[in-house]
Amino acid sequence: MGETSAGKSVTIVNRLYPPGAGVTGEAAQELARFLIDRHGFDVQIVHVNGRYPGQAAASQPAGRVHLIKPVYHGRVKILRLIGNLIEGYRMIRKASQLNTDHVIVMTDPPLLSMWASVLLGRKRSWSLWTMDVYPQAFIANQLVSEKNPLYRRLKTLTYRHAPRHLVALGPGQSAFVVNNYSDDVTATILPCGIYEENGHYEDRPSWKHNDGKIYFGYCGNLGEAHSAHFVEALMRKLDPDRHRLILSAYGRNARRVKQSAAALPAVEVVDFVPRHHLRFIDIHLVTLLGAWTHVCVPSKAVSAICSGSTMLFCGAVQCDTWQMLQSAGWHIDHGAAMEDDLDAFLRTATPEIVAARKEQARRLTAQLLAMRRSAFDEIARIITNQTQPADASVSELTKRE
């Protein structure tokens, strides 16, 4: 165990947590394990027995876990929203009852941050860790308009009381959230999806062959925030003699894209690509529709880079994904010129160019791992009422414009 902070306690609140699946739960687990092992904190976890597509985590959960009973697992949107509201209220109420020194509130289920503002307010020391930003995600998803009275009320409640500290996925998202508060809020930048590829896995996936082709992959959620049109357009343009695309998708648009892939010889649909197989893909497809810029930041891009692969990003250039990771990828604008841009990309993306981008991915991975260490230390200092600037070694990645 490293330096200890005797008697310090913290509660982390998120709908998902290991051994259940979900990248947000894995991120919470990583922080919890760090705070326990490095600083000796008493870490409490409040989460729901939620279900999430993907592979469940194999590790034992870190910290003392407090389970909240799930309310609704169905797909009817209004019932799901009501269920999320009830779950969020119960989670924050439970976190308040635990009476730890600090509470770290994540953003699953939706409007969890609203309940934190209402129930914790200025009475408790708490941080907000934004994975997705609510209630703005309802606007991005075109569920309501900004003039909707209920939306305006939810937004007022959410930003009425600022957290003591913000943990954001990138500088753009940080500014997007902080600008909604009337009070000053300090921030830590911590991208989601960072991991260290240990290279100890010898198994080669059945879909990977020594055929000299460039392997593309779309692995993960293909939902409301993502462009199915971009994925379909790229699939149609692939040359089966030069390219192969591995498609492992779930979410709102997944069925449609899988149906499109059925007749394409360069595409193979698989059920799941585990993290240790990401490195067998040369170029990962990452997409974020413009309305979702800063509302969410795709973790699959970060994981792709950490696996030693590259990315083809379709989204706004101001998105944190592109600003932080552009040296290891290519950009496609989601607009009228997309088809022509894809043609140009496929003409120039040679194996030699891909190899050069992969070298950049390795450099970025070292910076990302340093950023995570610095961010975890910074969060620990916030909990112990210390203040200290972030490690200057990570500034290059977070200050790009």
Side-chain angles (χ1 to χ4, degrees):
M1 184 181 295
E3 58 183 270
T4 62
S5 302
K8 284 295 176 180
S9 57
V10 61
T11 299
I12 301 175
V13 187
N14 190 52
R15 190 173 198 273
L16 303 174
Y17 198 72
V23 67
T24 63
E26 291 177 10
Q29 162 101 325
E30 289 172 356
L31 176 59
R33 178 56 61 196
F34 172 85
L35 294 175
I36 294 168
D37 293 347
R38 180 73 179 270
H39 293 277
F41 285 175
D42 172 22
V43 178
Q44 313 271 345
I45 307 295
V46 176
H47 78 99
V48 178
N49 261 339
R51 295 179 292 181
Y52 192 80
Q55 191 176 56
S59 58
Q60 280 294 110
R64 290 192 283 171
V65 172
H66 304 269
L67 290 175
I68 302 298
K69 186 177 179 180
V71 175
Y72 179 71
H73 278 311
R75 296 185 178 182
V76 180
K77 287 186 177 180
I78 186 62
L79 296 180
R80 189 166 61 190
L81 177 59
I82 293 170
N84 287 337
L85 279 169
I86 296 171
E87 288 174 355
Y89 170 78
R90 291 174 177 172
M91 293 167 73
I92 298 299
R93 184 180 64 178
K94 179 64 177 180
S96 181
Q97 291 171 347
L98 292 174
N99 202 31
T100 52
D101 297 311
H102 194 77
V103 181
I104 298 174
V105 178
M106 299 175 74
T107 50
D108 187 13
L111 299 176
L112 192 63
S113 57
M114 181 200 72
W115 286 123
S117 173
V118 171
L119 298 179
L120 301 179
R122 294 189 177 92
K123 298 178 294 185
R124 300 291 305 277
S125 175
W126 64 285
S127 295
L128 176 63
W129 188 355
T130 53
M131 294 294 175
D132 296 337
V133 180
Y134 287 93
Q136 287 92 326
F138 297 139
I139 299 293
N141 202 20
Q142 299 181 335
L143 296 176
V144 295
S145 74
E146 290 194 60
K147 296 180 179 179
N148 181 283
L150 177 58
Y151 169 79
R152 294 172 65 179
R153 179 59 177 165
L154 291 174
K155 188 175 181 182
T156 297
L157 290 173
T158 299
Y159 294 104
R160 174 172 291 172
H161 299 300
R164 181 176 170 214
H165 191 68
L166 173 71
V167 181
L169 304 184
Q173 188 187 71
S174 175
F176 180 78
V177 175
V178 169
N179 286 342
N180 285 280
Y181 291 109
S182 57
D183 299 330
D184 291 334
V185 181
T186 59
T188 294
I189 306 302
L190 178 57
C192 187
I194 299 173
Y195 80 102
E196 190 165 8
E197 172 61 63
N198 57 35
H200 293 161
Y201 295 95
E202 300 298 332
D203 61 315
R204 176 184 288 265
S206 60
W207 45 260
K208 178 68 173 180
H209 308 289
N210 290 319
D211 49 16
K213 296 178 181 179
I214 295 175
Y215 276 71
F216 294 81
Y218 192 96
C219 310
N221 189 14
L222 191 53
E224 294 88 347
H226 312 110
S227 172
H229 177 53
F230 161 69
V231 179
E232 290 173 319
L234 187 279
M235 290 192 310
R236 289 193 301 267
K237 294 177 181 295
L238 295 179
D239 179 354
D241 293 328
R242 298 174 50 227
H243 308 129
R244 189 155 189 81
L245 186 144
I246 305 303
L247 179 63
S248 173
Y250 60 89
R252 180 179 179 179
N253 298 313
R255 178 180 293 183
R256 162 188 155 187
V257 174
K258 288 177 182 178
Q259 289 173 344
S260 299
L264 300 174
V267 183
E268 181 175 349
V269 178
V270 302
D271 290 334
F272 184 70
V273 177
R275 176 177 279 180
H276 63 276
H277 283 168
L278 295 179
R279 62 193 175 99
F280 291 102
I281 293 172
D282 299 303
I283 304 173
H284 288 263
L285 307 186
V286 182
T287 169
L288 188 70
L289 294 172
W292 290 85
T293 301
H294 304 324
V295 174
C296 63
V297 182
S299 62
K300 63 169 66 68
V302 176
S303 294
I305 300 304
C306 289
S307 75
S309 302
T310 68
M311 70 166 183
L312 177 61
F313 175 64
C314 180
V317 294
Q318 63 266 36
C319 179
D320 286 318
T321 298
W322 182 245
Q323 288 298 310
M324 292 192 293
L325 307 176
Q326 58 184 276
S327 64
W330 297 262
H331 176 260
I332 298 292
D333 186 52
H334 192 270
M338 186 177 71
E339 297 277 349
D340 292 338
D341 290 347
L342 284 172
D343 288 333
F345 160 74
L346 289 172
R347 284 195 301 269
T348 58
T350 64
E352 294 75 20
I353 296 295
V354 172
R357 294 287 203 282
K358 284 186 174 182
E359 184 58 36
Q360 291 296 325
R362 284 186 278 274
R363 294 190 181 98
L364 282 175
T365 298
Q367 295 179 39
L368 286 164
L369 291 168
M371 181 187 295
R372 184 175 64 176
R373 290 191 296 270
S374 175
F376 281 3
D377 280 329
E378 199 166 82
I379 292 168
R381 289 193 292 269
I382 291 297
I383 296 171
T384 55
N385 292 308
Q386 301 177 43
T387 57
Q388 184 175 329
D391 187 343
S393 66
V394 302
S395 61
E396 179 184 348
L397 197 61
T398 58
K399 291 183 179 179
R400 288 179 179 161
E401 298 191 4

